[in-house]
Amino acid sequence: MASRVALVTGGTRGIGRAISEHLKKSGYKVVANYGGNDEVAKKFTAETGIPAYKFDVADFAACQAAVAKIVAEQGPIEVLVNNAGITRDATLKRQSRDMWDAVIDTNLGSCFNLCKCVWDSMNERKFGRIVNIGSINGQAGQYGQVNYAAAKSGIHGFTKALAQEGARAGITVNAIAPGYIDTEMVQAVPADVLQKIVARIPVGRLGHAEEIARGVAFLVADDGGFITGSTLSINGGQHMY
Ligand code: CAA
């Protein structure tokens, strides 16, 4: 297990950073992807020793090139965490087609892109662990997020379909549906709106990124071979079903 290569998209900040660090601590050879913020990525690599690869997860050709480079430099990717995601919140009335496309392509298209790039290799090796980061808002919907809710809901369907295709080859595909976690993404929600959201969380607080990372580590473990197609909700009790 110590040498398994784990790729975490959006792995230098927020929930992704916590996942990268947790998997490294658990013995994986972690590789983080990031999309734009060079300064944060440089600091992340300096602090953690985890290499960071810059590419746009929404761009299929860029993913193909990056995965080939990672495999050549680090070894075959056996664990993939599709975590990269963005928000472009606005009510449908104010949402532009560009805001829709950006969120669908980055949050959902990326799952297709990266899974496609590692799929043949995982099938040949008869082992793979894929975790897709969905959202409570993909399960329950959220005012001002038709794009994000659709993309995240899509991730949950994608996960269940791909799990069936990978099962016989020893590849598990699962999702985590985080609730509101204390990252920059959530802190960007207007304070008055966020206050009302937190008031609806039974645990009474935002979640911590590490609490999502622990879930990922659980799902990707070598002895997790019978857990596939599942969605692990980690949301402080905000949405149960
Ligand atoms: N239900 C019903 N009505 C609502 C509502 C809700 N949940 N939220 C707002 N409204 C109403 C307001 O009361 C207001 O009505 P009035 O004009 O009658 O007063 C109207 O909608 C407009 O509200 P805003 O002033 O907030 O409108 P806005 O255009 O300035 O902003 C918004 C709209 C961008 C959607 C803003 O409300 C917002 O950012 N909401 C938070 C969205 C959110 O939760 N995003 C999550 C980001 S984090 C994340 O996504 C991570 C994850 O996976 C959990």
Side-chain angles (χ1 to χ4, degrees), residues 87 89 94 135 137 142-145 148 179-180 185-186 189-190 193 197:
T87 52
D89 292 354
R94 295 206 179 127
S135 169
N137 293 348
Q142 170 62 36
Y143 188 99
Q145 284 200 310
Y148 188 89
Y180 281 72
M185 183 185 273
V186 165
V189 172
V193 177
I197 291 170

Side-chain angles (χ1 to χ4, degrees), residues 65-215:
V67 166
K69 188 165 188 267
I70 292 165
V71 170
E73 293 177 359
Q74 313 286 345
I77 296 164
E78 293 185 299
V79 176
L80 169 64
V81 184
N82 284 309
N83 163 76
I86 59 170
T87 52
R88 296 286 183 272
D89 292 354
T91 54
L92 182 67
K93 192 179 167 70
R94 295 206 179 127
Q95 193 171 126
S96 66
R97 178 69 204 206
D98 283 350
M99 294 162 88
W100 169 267
D101 287 341
V103 170
I104 297 292
D105 292 350
T106 301
N107 297 13
L108 179 59
S110 59
C111 291
F112 173 88
N113 292 344
L114 271 310
C115 287
K116 180 88 178 156
C117 290
V118 303
W119 195 246
D120 286 350
S121 162
M122 286 183 175
N123 272 279
E124 278 157 24
R125 301 174 73 77
K126 296 276 174 273
F127 181 87
R129 294 283 182 267
I130 296 174
V131 177
N132 301 315
I133 304 299
S135 169
I136 186 175
N137 293 348
Q139 298 171 312
Q142 170 62 36
Y143 188 99
Q145 284 200 310
V146 292
N147 49 3
Y148 188 89
K152 292 296 189 179
S153 182
I155 284 177
H156 295 303
F158 176 94
T159 299
K160 292 175 199 175
L162 192 60
Q164 295 178 35
E165 296 183 23
R168 289 286 166 89
I171 305 169
T172 66
V173 188
N174 292 290
I176 289 185
Y180 281 72
I181 308 300
D182 59 359
T183 61
E184 283 172 40
M185 183 185 273
V186 165
Q187 295 302 348
V189 172
D192 56 324
V193 177
L194 189 55
Q195 210 176 359
K196 285 185 202 146
I197 291 170
V198 174
R200 295 201 307 266
I201 303 174
V203 168
R205 62 168 173 85
L206 294 175
H208 304 308
E210 292 69 25
E211 292 173 307
I212 304 303
R214 289 188 58 233

Side-chain angles (χ1 to χ4, degrees), residues 11-70:
T12 63
R13 293 199 294 153
I15 291 175
R17 177 174 177 145
I19 295 168
S20 295
E21 291 190 68
H22 195 100
L23 291 184
K24 184 176 181 198
K25 244 190 289 166
S26 307
Y28 295 84
K29 188 173 175 186
V30 179
V31 176
N33 146 267
Y34 72 103
N37 198 328
D38 295 318
E39 207 177 307
V40 167
K42 219 166 129 188
K43 191 162 173 271
F44 162 82
T45 297
E47 287 172 3
T48 63
I50 298 171
Y53 288 73
K54 183 179 185 176
F55 59 93
D56 180 0
V57 293
D59 178 339
F60 185 54
C63 291
Q64 285 179 304
V67 166
K69 188 165 188 267
I70 292 165

